[in-house]
């Protein structure tokens, strides 16, 4: 209850009365032999795939956050390369609005490679829904439960025609 007696419910992780925030995340696009490295996520919902990476902690730049997140989710270090694209995810505008409509995340995708001698593995330190990792053929991504869906098309678009900003897509 607030001081005026109204009932206030804040979304998970948001301090009561705090203004809405935008979460910033860095994501790794790791392609080897025509396959994209993804995290496998399962629970009381259909399995889906994401690029490794996640939210920045206060004081981390995009590279530091991405390398930390990759160590947590794929168990190895990565070499962060060029910026690939940026996208917004404003959940209220997409199919999961009833579950997490309060979420607004700005995601910055980078081309990455595995550090020399590194091989990905599941560590158990990834996100709570992460159950594994997989290499998915880039040519098959449009038929897979990959988020954002726009990534599948983006990866198969000629490099010169790929946009740097995808907009509010899922």
């Amino acid at each position: 209850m607030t001081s005026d007696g109204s009932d206030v419910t804040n979304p998970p992780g948001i301090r009561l009365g705090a203004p809405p925030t935008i979460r910033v995340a860095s994501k790794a696009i790791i392609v080897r032999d025509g396959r994209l490295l993804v995290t496998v996520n399962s629970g009381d919902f259909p399995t889906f795939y994401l690029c490794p990476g996640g939210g920045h902690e206060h004081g981390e730049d995009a590279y530091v956050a991405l390398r930390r997140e990759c160590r947590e989710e794929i168990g190895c270090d990565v070499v962060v390369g060029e910026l690939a694209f940026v996208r917004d995810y404003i959940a209220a505008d997409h199919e999961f609005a009833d579950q997490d409509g309060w979420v607004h995340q700005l995601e910055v995708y980078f081309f990455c490679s595995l550090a020399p001698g590194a091989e990905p593995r599941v560590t158990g330190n990834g996100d709570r829904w992460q159950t594994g990792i997989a290499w998915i053929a880039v040519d098959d991504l449009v038929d897979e439960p990959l988020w954002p869906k726009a990534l599948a098309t983006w990866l198969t678009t000629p490099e010169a025609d790929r946009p740097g900003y995808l907009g509010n897509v899922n």
Side-chain angles (χ1 to χ4, degrees), residues 31-141:
V31 177
R32 181 171 74 184
D33 300 326
R35 297 183 172 282
L36 177 69
L37 179 62
V38 295
T39 62
V40 178
N41 301 273
S42 302
D44 55 353
F45 45 81
T47 297
F48 64 93
Y49 305 122
L50 300 171
C51 286
H56 296 196
E57 293 179 358
H58 184 78
E60 285 183 323
D61 68 31
Y63 284 16
V64 170
L66 184 53
R67 291 181 63 214
R68 176 187 50 76
E69 285 284 341
C70 284
R71 284 189 298 272
E72 292 172 6
E73 295 180 1
I74 62 171
C76 63
D77 201 8
V78 297
V79 177
V80 181
E82 293 296 315
L83 176 68
F85 65 84
V86 175
R87 80 142 175 167
D88 274 292
Y89 173 68
I90 303 171
D93 297 335
H94 298 290
E95 63 271 31
F96 305 116
D98 60 329
Q99 298 158 16
D100 64 0
W102 56 273
V103 171
H104 182 177
Q105 182 161 287
L106 179 71
E107 294 181 346
V108 184
Y109 284 73
F110 292 92
F111 291 109
C112 294
S113 59
L114 300 176
E119 195 58 38
R121 61 184 172 76
V122 177
T123 65
N125 295 324
D127 293 337
R128 70 180 188 176
W129 303 114
Q130 183 184 348
T131 56
I133 57 174
W135 291 95
I136 308 290
V138 170
D139 292 338
D140 296 338
L141 288 174

